[in-house]
Amino acid sequence: MPPPQPPAEPSAPVPPDGPRVKAVPPTRAELDAARGRTLRDVLGPSLDVLFCGINPGLYSAATGHHFARPGNRFWPALHRSGFTPRLLDPGEQELLPSFGLGITNVVERATAQAAELTPEEFREGAARLARLVAGTRPRVLAVAGVTAYRTAFGQPKAAVGPQETVIGDTAVWVLPNPSGLNAHWTLEGIAGEMRRLRESLR
């Protein structure tokens, strides 16, 4: 009889690719009640990338999940770029730290549109991000929205891609806004920029 085999080494969990229960969309009353709410950051130790949205939309605030509105291309682009082994649902956001990824926002309060935010809120958000990055020390802070980055960090000529700005030891990138309302960027274009970021980590 062959000797027993030693247990396998533990590895980062890869979520199963089985059927998942479809989330029930929030009602109009739930969306209205979500105005002004905040979302908990998705954080973990030793993050490679801390993705940063502009601010939560009402759909995300109502569900408690980042980039949750149908039509938002963050999660498909994240998978197509190779950051995750399969397409994750917004409700699976807590799996991200196992892949070295996290999510936060420039401005914490939820609104129906980012246009409702003030320049002062963006600047205050940049200061909060600096404190958050100093505490969590991700390799890269990736802000998903060039206009929001320009306003928050006082960089009016910033473009999508790596930035000269650093926060401590953390590099800063700007990614396209993945909102479905951003017609200037296709899903493949957004995924391509995410892929460029991922390849820079090697």
Side-chain angles (χ1 to χ4, degrees):
M1 182 175 180
Q5 297 295 314
E9 290 294 325
S11 59
V14 176
D17 195 14
R20 295 177 292 281
V21 177
K22 186 176 182 180
V24 177
T27 65
R28 170 51 58 186
E30 289 171 332
L31 291 173
D32 290 340
R35 189 179 299 274
R37 285 184 190 168
T38 61
L39 274 183
R40 185 171 61 85
D41 294 336
V42 178
L43 301 172
S46 304
L47 294 180
D48 288 321
V49 182
L50 178 58
F51 291 99
C52 182
I54 298 172
N55 77 305
L58 299 185
Y59 199 104
S60 286
T63 61
H65 304 138
H66 294 270
F67 301 106
R69 186 176 183 84
N72 192 294
R73 295 163 294 178
F74 175 81
W75 297 99
L78 196 69
H79 172 52
R80 293 194 184 195
S81 65
F83 271 116
T84 59
R86 68 163 172 83
L87 175 61
L88 299 182
D89 293 325
E92 298 177 293
Q93 63 186 18
E94 299 303 328
L95 294 172
L96 287 179
S98 68
F99 304 120
L101 309 174
I103 306 181
T104 187
N105 287 286
V106 178
V107 178
E108 294 184 290
R109 77 177 179 100
T111 61
Q113 298 180 7
E116 299 174 39
L117 303 173
T118 67
E120 182 180 1
E121 285 181 289
F122 278 109
R123 290 190 291 270
E124 291 173 351
R128 185 192 74 85
L129 281 175
R131 294 191 298 270
L132 179 63
V133 166
T136 56
R137 302 181 67 181
R139 292 177 62 187
V140 177
L141 172 69
V143 180
V146 66
T147 302
Y149 176 79
R150 289 170 178 167
T151 304
F153 289 85
Q155 300 289 337
K157 296 183 179 181
V160 168
Q163 306 299 306
E164 294 182 359
T165 300
V166 294
I167 303 176
D169 295 329
T170 298
V172 178
W173 277 64
V174 172
L175 295 171
N177 181 353
S179 168
L181 300 176
N182 182 8
H184 296 292
W185 285 86
T186 65
L187 171 57
E188 286 305 323
I190 297 168
E193 290 299 324
M194 285 190 177
R195 188 177 304 112
R196 188 158 70 105
L197 166 58
R198 185 175 65 85
E199 290 172 350
S200 76
L201 298 171
R202 295 176 180 173

